[in-house]
Amino acid sequence: MSPVQSAVTAVLTQKFEVSPECIRPEATLESLDLDSLALAELALALQEELGVPVAEEEAARHSTVGELVATLNAKRP
């Protein structure tokens, strides 16, 4: 598991109480029951955790966990 994937999983399980079994690359953030407020909080938490800017649009309801991880991996130095 990549550091970014680990961070995304940790934030989703700890902050949003998502079951680890539900966090699959093809799972959409909407399917994980994250509303627009939760998506804004997710973007902020990932920004703090990873030290890279995360726009709310990058954590959109239709985005999959895999897409989010790929986007954040591309931003890391």
Side-chain angles (χ1 to χ4, degrees):
M1 186 179 290
S2 76
V4 170
Q5 188 172 357
S6 295
V8 169
T9 299
V11 169
L12 287 171
T13 56
Q14 294 168 9
K15 187 169 181 76
F16 300 100
E17 299 178 356
V18 175
S19 172
E21 297 82 38
C22 295
I23 305 172
R24 299 178 315 277
E26 67 276 6
T28 64
L29 298 176
E30 181 177 26
S31 72
L32 300 177
D33 292 328
L34 300 181
D35 62 16
S36 57
L37 179 59
L39 293 173
E41 290 178 31
L42 175 64
L44 182 60
L46 290 173
Q47 185 169 309
E48 291 174 359
E49 181 79 22
L50 298 169
V52 296
V54 181
E56 281 184 50
E57 302 82 48
E58 293 169 334
R61 291 178 65 82
H62 63 275
S63 298
T64 65
V65 172
E67 291 168 344
L68 180 60
V69 169
T71 298
L72 296 175
N73 268 325
K75 289 183 162 204
R76 292 197 53 166

